[in-house]
């Protein structure tokens, strides 16, 4: 079987390996030279001020502890020159303070200082029977730096640091210092590059795991916050859409009355001029067009659930006259309710009448849901000046201790309180809700008998000219 001429020949495995080896130094240089969020402190996004200061405190303790210890170790135990010991100790310990905000840059300084220290110790007299190429203080400071590095840098950078640490240890085998011969034989050197290589990998892996876990948890909290806000926004929009659908019948009734009155005016009133008859006809046509546009708008606002049930509801919208029937159903649900209504019939605007009924309905639904069996009192009265309507729903604590009363939803996730607020805002009233000292709950709404008119939109240039 011959290979099609359009397909390239496969690259030999040896060539691929050689190309990867040639690219490895470049990739290492890129990863080791590209820090993540330089200048941002570790734990800088934590709310607790104490936790934000913790990295600085830990870095300060390590730097202050390692600086004199390293000087003493290099000068007295390893026999290194005092000035050189001080310079190397400073280069190995002081950059730990920089690791709080720029751990990758601090690694460059400390790693270089450790390598220079290892080379300097090859000519020292006290290396025999001691740790080399990394003294104990260098190992401690390097591992502390790895913790800061793993909490900040991405995984590829951590792998590059780990491999560079191992490569430096392997190369150190080529410059192992010559040890003097003792009566018991040549002195030994305790090689520590394998130990540091293994411990560095463990610390980097553990730190990266903790960082990824924290990042995942933070993203989950952010997503939950976004979802909660979207849920609240969707609930509010659904409630406003429901109110708009219910008010359609009220507005449609008024528009129908306008249409009928305008059409019948020439027949009911004698002696109307020709211009007036045409004006009445124009009013009737405009009212019919407005009614048709409202029906189309209702089709847009209609919920999917209403579509599945065969279209919008065709029953009349309820009012306070239907509260006895609502209370009767609530009593059958196990909640004793006492209802108090005005003795005389109160003339209410349809929007106010519907809002009062829905507020009582939502309040009783919350009593059934959160305080089952709690005695409840519903009162609908007019204000002292006769210009408003007071709707009051108060429930006592539930009789069963196993079912404590819970407050209405106040975090924007429940339809009950959102629906009440939107209906009160619609008619220009006020709403007051809150728990009672005895464990019950109170819902009080003040509604004007006649809702304020909606603000008129300013006329445009063309509309004002036509007027």
């Amino acid at each position: 079987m011959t290979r099609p001429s359009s397909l390239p020949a496969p690259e030999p495995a040896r060539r691929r390996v050689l190309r990867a080896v040639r690219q490895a130094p470049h990739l290492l240089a890129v990863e080791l030279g590209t820090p993540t969020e330089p200048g941002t402190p570790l734990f800088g996004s934590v709310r607790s001020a104490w936790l934000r200061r913790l990295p600085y405190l830990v870095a300060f303790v390590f730097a202050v502890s390692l600086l004199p210890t390293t000087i003493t170790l290099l000068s007295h135990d390893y026999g290194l020159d005092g000035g050189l010991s001080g310079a190397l100790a400073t280069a190995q310990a002081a950059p730990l303070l920089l690791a709080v905000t720029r751990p990758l840059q601090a690694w460059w300084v400390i790693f270089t200082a450790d390598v220079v220290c290892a080379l300097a110790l090859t000519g020292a007299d006290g290396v025999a029977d001691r740790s080399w190429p990394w003294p104990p203080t260098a190992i401690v400071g390097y591992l502390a730096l790895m913790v800061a590095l793993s909490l900040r840098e991405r995984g590829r950078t951590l792998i590059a640091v780990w491999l560079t640490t191992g490569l430096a240890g392997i190369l150190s085998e080529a410059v192992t210092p010559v040890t003097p011969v003792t009566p018991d034989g040549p002195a030994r050197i305790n090689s520590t590059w394998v130990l540091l290589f293994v411990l560095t990998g463990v610390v980097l892996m553990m730190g990266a795991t903790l960082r990824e876990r924290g990042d995942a948890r933070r993203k989950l909290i952010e997503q939950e916050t976004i979802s909660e806000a979207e849920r609240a926004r969707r609930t509010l929009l659904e409630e406003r859409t429901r109110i708009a659908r219910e008010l359609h019948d009220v507005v449609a009734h008024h528009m129908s009355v306008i249409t009928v009155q305008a059409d019948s005016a020439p027949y009911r009133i004698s002696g109307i001029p020709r211009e007036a008859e045409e004006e009445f006809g124009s009013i009737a046509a405009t009212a019919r067009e407005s009614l048709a546009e409202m029906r189309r708008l209702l089709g847009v606002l209609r919920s999917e659930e209403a579509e599945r049930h065969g279209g919008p509801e065709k029953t009349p919208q309820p009012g306070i006259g239907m509260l006895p029937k609502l209370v009767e159903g609530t009593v059958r649900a196990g909640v004793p309710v006492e209802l108090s209504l005005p003795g005389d019939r109160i003339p209410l605007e349809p929007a106010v009448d519907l809002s009062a009924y829905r507020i009582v309905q939502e309040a009783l639904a919350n009593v059934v849901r959160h305080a089952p069996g709690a005695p409840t009192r519903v009162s609908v009265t007019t204000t002292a000046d006769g210009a408003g309507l007071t709707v009051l729903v108060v429930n006592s604590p539930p009789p069963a201790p196993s079912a404590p009363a819970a407050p209405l939803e106040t975090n924007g996730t429940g339809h009950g309180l959102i629906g009440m607020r939107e209906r009160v805002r619609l008619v220009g009233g006020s709403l007051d809700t809150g728990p009672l000292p005895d464990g019950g709950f109170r819902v009080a709404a003040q509604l004007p008998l006649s809702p304020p008119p909606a603000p008129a939109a300013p006329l445009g240039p063309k509309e004002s000219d036509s007027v």
Side-chain angles (χ1 to χ4, degrees):
M1 181 177 179
T2 59
R3 179 180 301 275
S5 59
S6 59
L7 297 178
E11 185 180 9
R14 181 179 179 183
R15 184 176 299 176
R16 291 198 301 268
V17 172
L18 292 176
R19 189 176 72 252
V21 171
R22 288 195 300 266
Q23 291 178 351
H26 174 70
L27 294 177
L28 284 176
V30 170
E31 293 299 330
L32 296 177
T34 311
T36 302
E37 299 180 1
T40 303
L42 295 175
F43 301 167
S45 59
V46 179
R47 294 184 179 179
S48 174
W50 184 85
L51 288 178
R52 288 197 301 268
R53 298 188 184 99
L54 181 61
Y56 293 96
L57 176 62
V58 174
F60 179 77
V61 170
F62 270 98
V64 171
S65 302
L66 290 175
L67 182 59
T69 306
T70 303
I71 295 176
T72 303
L73 180 68
L74 294 180
S75 59
H76 291 79
D77 295 352
Y78 283 85
L80 203 61
D81 179 74
L84 182 59
S85 298
L88 291 175
T90 303
Q92 290 174 337
L96 291 175
L97 299 174
L98 178 65
V100 178
T101 55
R102 290 178 170 83
L104 189 58
Q105 290 88 333
W107 174 82
W108 275 105
V109 178
I110 293 178
F111 178 75
T112 303
D114 289 345
V115 172
V116 173
C117 180
L119 294 177
L121 291 178
T122 57
D125 299 332
V127 182
D129 296 327
R130 300 191 184 279
S131 300
W132 186 88
W134 319 124
T137 53
I139 294 177
V140 173
Y142 198 81
L143 294 180
L145 175 63
M146 293 301 102
V147 174
L149 200 66
S150 63
L151 295 177
R152 168 59 56 81
E153 301 301 329
R154 53 189 177 272
R156 291 179 299 180
T157 302
L158 301 183
I159 294 175
V161 169
W162 183 57
L163 293 178
T164 304
T165 303
L167 180 62
I170 294 174
L171 295 178
S172 68
E173 293 290 336
V175 292
T176 303
V178 179
T179 57
V181 179
T182 63
D184 299 331
R188 298 177 54 192
I189 293 180
N190 300 324
S191 179
T192 55
W193 76 267
V194 176
L195 175 64
L196 181 62
F197 182 64
V198 173
L199 291 179
T200 297
V202 172
V203 173
L204 289 177
M205 182 179 64
M206 293 178 60
T209 302
L210 292 176
R211 185 199 65 206
E212 291 177 358
R213 182 178 178 182
D215 291 343
R217 184 178 180 182
R218 183 170 58 255
K219 291 179 180 178
L220 179 60
I221 294 176
E222 292 176 356
Q223 187 61 39
E224 289 178 352
T225 303
I226 295 174
S227 300
E228 189 73 16
E230 289 295 329
R231 190 182 302 113
R233 181 176 177 272
R234 184 173 64 250
T235 300
L236 178 61
L237 294 178
E238 290 176 355
E239 193 66 26
R240 289 180 176 178
T241 301
R242 175 188 173 191
I243 295 173
R245 289 199 309 269
E246 291 179 350
L247 289 179
H248 166 266
D249 293 343
V250 176
V251 181
H253 169 73
H254 292 313
M255 297 300 298
S256 300
V257 171
I258 293 174
T259 304
V260 172
Q261 288 180 340
D263 280 334
S264 62
Y267 304 98
R268 293 182 292 103
I269 305 174
S270 58
I272 295 181
R274 187 68 177 177
E275 293 79 3
E277 291 184 7
E278 294 177 356
E279 189 68 23
F280 278 121
S282 176
I283 293 174
T286 303
R288 281 191 291 269
E289 291 177 2
S290 300
L291 194 57
E293 292 294 336
M294 284 190 56
R295 292 195 180 100
R296 281 191 285 270
L297 176 62
L298 181 64
V300 174
L301 297 177
R302 189 178 304 150
S303 63
E304 296 180 0
E305 182 179 359
E307 291 284 356
R308 289 194 299 266
H309 288 80
E313 299 179 358
K314 296 180 174 62
T315 56
Q317 296 297 343
I320 62 174
M322 300 182 65
L323 287 180
K325 184 177 180 180
L326 175 64
V327 169
E328 181 182 352
T330 307
V331 172
R332 286 198 301 267
V335 177
V337 180
E338 176 186 349
L339 176 64
S340 175
L341 294 175
D344 299 331
R345 181 176 178 83
I346 305 175
L348 297 176
E349 292 287 340
V352 176
D353 199 16
L354 175 61
S355 297
Y357 177 87
R358 292 301 187 194
I359 290 173
V360 175
Q361 184 184 40
E362 297 286 358
L364 292 180
N366 277 282
V367 173
V368 174
R369 186 182 305 115
H370 299 297
T376 305
R377 179 168 55 89
V378 178
S379 173
V380 179
T381 58
T382 56
T383 57
D385 56 2
L389 188 71
T390 301
V391 179
L392 181 65
V393 181
V394 180
N395 67 274
S396 303
S402 58
L408 287 174
E409 300 90 344
T410 58
N411 56 2
T413 61
H415 288 268
L417 192 56
I418 287 182
M420 295 180 194
R421 286 174 176 168
E422 286 301 309
R423 294 181 186 279
V424 168
R425 186 183 64 85
L426 175 69
V427 297
S430 61
L431 180 68
D432 180 25
T433 62
L436 298 175
D438 60 353
F441 206 87
R442 173 178 178 269
V443 175
Q446 296 285 343
L447 308 177
L449 295 183
S450 298
L459 295 177
K462 296 183 179 179
E463 295 173 332
S464 60
D465 293 343
S466 61
V467 175

